[in-house]
Amino acid sequence: MKIIRFQLNGKWVEVEIEENMTLLDLLRRKLHITSVKRGCERGECGVCTVLLDDKPVYSCLTPALKAEGRSVITVEYLSKNGKLHPIQEAFIKSGAVQCGFCTPAFILTTYALLKENKNPSEEDIKRFFDGIICRCTGYVKIIEAVKIASELCNQS
Amino acid sequence: MALFYQIPKLNYHKPKNLNEALKLLKELGDAKPIAGGTDLMVDMKIGRVKTRNLIDISDLREIRKIEFHKDSIIIGAAVTLQEIINNERIRREIPILVEAAENLGSWQIRNVATIGGNICNASPAADMAPPLLILNSKLKLSSINGDRVIPLEKFFKGPRQTELMVDELLTEIIVPRESCNAGMKFIKIGRRRAHTLSIVAVAVAVRTMEDKIEYVRIALNSIAPTPIRAYKTEEELIGSRVNEVEGKVKKLIEEIKPISDVRSSAEYRREMAVKITIDALKMSIENWRCKEK
């Protein structure tokens, strides 16, 4: 057992964990953040995506201890005081959510993408989304949501 | 609770510097270095790799550098693929590394997966291997007792088998500058374009003089137990005219041994290996001509 200290959605947390634990299990089973989904568990499907120091990573392939001293962001971080983030508004507006299982991963990846590139082209969006599978295949609406999100974010 | 994949109990070590890491590697005996973990974590989950000790090397400053020297470019083993893609000087001076990195895994993978990990995992389908092979790259293997430098083509021993001793760590990838002076091209075929393993990939480097090939390097993955250089085909091509390459590359099938697996049949691999090698050669020749102007 080891004690790990890291920033979860902007707040420092301290947890005692097994050294063989993945970041996915730390978030879901220890901290009960179930927006981080358990999918393929082997880095194929992308629904376990979180931001580690602002970069999208697969939490299922990340040893929990890699988070030590770093920032972990899940989708809970985005809405503030009951107000949704423009990216979340955009996903609602374009109807980019079907079953919703991949949505947190796509929203977080959009958040990271828009930090790097304020006006991504359709090609950029597709390239940066190569790591998440929407099993409802709702990609057209998801790409549309990112375009709307980039407009909304640039306005505010 | 055995509901999900479970990694067996282990000790997770986080050394503060390279020396400490090498010491641990020697003392523990059975430890596995972990960088991005994108291959290793899966291997541990499915039981292909068993270890009681992981040594996290991903933050070691000594192996996270990219250095541009007069005769060589040195890439630290723990440099991530995304860092290679984002590095403007690498993009300018060794664009083929960027091409290969951009087609590997997904953004989530590239953010943490390292160039050293791709080599050390020694998958027959390693995407960074063909470009590094045609660049005549060398590897620095370090242990607490000292370093040794070997050519990359001597490193691969079989599927997931390498020249690394248990107490050794790949620390640097050394790309000689003179190898960068060529026209190059990387082509990969997968079952789809994004986040896919290679069915076959090729990297080519070429220099021509008066329409004759005077220097050529060809390397492929996924058509043999390890990524390989196509020495015989290279020999065949040396001195031949640019418009003769198509016929000469047919020889390639004599030196590759593809197998059938979930991604492709051996026959398809064989045909595509020849096809993309011809394409890559033609494009490399074109790239060399542009470079020479």
Side-chain angles (χ1 to χ4, degrees):
Chain A
M1 297 289 265
K2 259 190 187 165
I3 291 179
I4 177 177
R5 213 174 156 262
F6 69 105
Q7 253 189 19
L8 176 61
N9 295 329
K11 284 190 198 117
W12 285 98
V13 290
E14 221 176 79
V15 202
E16 194 176 31
I17 56 166
E18 299 278 356
E19 293 176 51
N20 58 352
M21 194 170 230
T22 61
L23 184 54
L24 173 69
D25 282 332
L26 168 58
L27 293 170
R28 279 186 69 88
R29 293 167 81 173
K30 282 263 176 187
L31 300 166
H32 309 295
I33 301 200
T34 50
S35 68
V36 183
K37 300 302 181 200
R38 184 189 301 280
C40 70
E41 284 201 79
R42 46 195 300 169
E44 301 278 356
C45 76
V47 296
C48 68
T49 296
V50 299
L51 306 185
L52 187 58
D53 283 346
D54 290 340
K55 292 188 196 117
V57 302
Y58 293 141
S59 63
C60 76
L61 294 186
T62 308
L65 284 163
K66 271 190 186 283
E68 172 68 41
R70 299 167 79 179
S71 144
V72 173
I73 288 178
T74 67
V75 78
E76 284 77 5
Y77 179 74
L78 296 193
S79 65
K80 294 270 147 62
N81 307 319
K83 200 171 172 297
L84 291 179
H85 190 279
I87 297 172
Q88 293 169 311
E89 297 284 4
F91 270 69
I92 294 171
K93 208 168 166 182
S94 77
V97 181
Q98 290 187 53
C99 84
F101 203 71
C102 69
T103 309
F106 271 111
I107 288 178
L108 284 171
T109 306
T110 305
Y111 182 79
L113 168 61
L114 293 181
K115 267 200 165 177
E116 282 197 9
N117 182 346
K118 287 195 173 2
N119 295 299
S121 67
E122 186 155 333
E123 267 311 300
D124 293 333
I125 298 168
K126 285 182 184 168
R127 206 176 54 217
F128 282 94
F129 276 178
D130 60 358
I132 314 166
I133 292 171
C134 165
R135 208 52 291 176
C136 311
T137 71
Y139 297 105
V140 172
K141 293 292 171 192
I142 293 173
I143 291 166
E144 193 182 297
V146 181
K147 290 179 185 164
I148 296 172
S150 102
E151 280 167 30
L152 291 176
C153 290
N154 289 340
Q155 281 164 20
S156 57
Chain B
M1 257 211 309
L3 282 171
F4 315 113
Y5 287 118
Q6 186 71 48
I7 293 170
K9 283 209 182 332
L10 51 79
N11 302 309
Y12 198 91
H13 307 268
K14 206 147 189 203
K16 291 194 178 57
N17 54 50
L18 179 61
N19 205 49
E20 209 177 287
L22 295 177
K23 224 188 260 172
L24 270 172
L25 209 48
K26 175 97 180 174
E27 281 164 12
L28 295 168
D30 76 329
K32 268 277 185 190
I34 180 166
T38 53
D39 284 317
L40 183 57
M41 290 292 281
V42 177
D43 282 344
M44 289 193 301
K45 285 182 180 195
I46 63 176
R48 180 151 66 181
V49 169
K50 294 187 174 76
T51 184
R52 280 174 305 155
N53 290 288
L54 285 181
I55 304 177
D56 191 333
I57 56 164
S58 55
D59 288 336
L60 300 179
R61 218 168 21 89
E62 299 94 327
I63 56 171
R64 298 209 14 87
K65 60 188 182 183
I66 302 178
E67 290 176 351
F68 297 85
H69 298 281
K70 192 164 154 276
D71 297 329
S72 65
I73 297 165
I74 295 177
I75 305 174
V79 169
T80 67
L81 298 171
Q82 197 59 41
E83 285 164 347
I84 287 174
I85 294 167
N86 294 350
N87 189 297
E88 284 306 319
R89 273 191 84 175
I90 293 216
R91 187 175 285 272
R92 211 162 50 233
E93 294 178 40
I94 348 179
I96 195 158
L97 285 188
V98 174
E99 278 175 56
E102 279 177 337
N103 285 295
L104 191 157
S106 62
W107 191 20
Q108 284 86 338
I109 297 277
R110 293 187 293 269
N111 276 332
V112 293
T114 62
I115 186 165
N118 190 246
I119 297 303
C120 289
N121 191 49
S123 158
D127 278 341
M128 298 312 285
L132 288 172
L133 282 167
I134 61 152
L135 288 162
N136 308 304
S137 306
K138 285 177 267 183
L139 304 179
K140 187 174 178 185
L141 313 181
S142 306
S143 80
I144 198 74
N145 301 321
D147 303 329
R148 59 181 175 131
V149 174
I150 64 161
L152 174 58
E153 56 257 54
K154 293 259 157 64
F155 184 72
F156 299 118
K157 295 289 170 199
R160 296 168 191 281
Q161 287 170 333
T162 71
E163 175 68 19
L164 271 179
M165 307 284 202
V166 283
D167 63 344
E168 274 181 327
L169 189 69
L170 169 62
T171 47
E172 290 178 1
I173 291 125
I174 304 160
V175 179
R177 282 261 182 192
E178 53 183 2
S179 314
C180 302
N181 185 32
M184 291 182 236
K185 185 67 194 171
F186 174 80
I187 299 177
K188 166 176 166 179
I189 293 185
R191 292 212 297 183
R192 56 178 191 165
R193 216 172 60 190
H195 198 180
T196 193
L197 290 171
S198 139
I199 285 173
V200 55
V202 68
V204 169
V206 152
R207 285 198 292 268
T208 61
M209 214 204 284
E210 287 160 4
D211 266 353
K212 277 189 180 162
I213 292 178
E214 60 140 17
Y215 172 91
V216 61
R217 292 280 183 278
I218 300 169
L220 303 106
N221 72 18
S222 304
I223 42 75
T226 70
I228 57 156
R229 277 265 302 277
Y231 292 105
K232 284 185 193 157
T233 311
E234 290 175 8
E235 228 169 87
E236 196 69 20
L237 282 163
I238 284 287
S240 58
R241 298 208 158 272
V242 165
N243 56 15
E244 296 170 347
V245 299
E246 220 154 302
K248 305 262 175 178
V249 174
K250 300 260 154 68
K251 275 256 166 193
L252 183 64
I253 52 170
E254 291 172 21
E255 59 181 327
I256 61 177
K257 296 182 207 72
I259 57 165
S260 297
D261 63 14
V262 287
R263 297 200 296 284
S264 159
S265 67
E267 290 77 10
Y268 183 70
R269 282 203 161 95
R270 205 172 290 122
E271 278 195 32
M272 292 319 285
V274 172
K275 163 89 173 80
I276 62 174
T277 302
I278 292 169
D279 289 350
L281 265 166
K282 287 181 178 168
M283 287 184 237
S284 300
I285 292 167
E286 213 36 59
N287 288 343
W288 171 245
R289 283 174 175 159
C290 295
K291 217 170 179 172
E292 262 201 313
K293 271 176 200 159

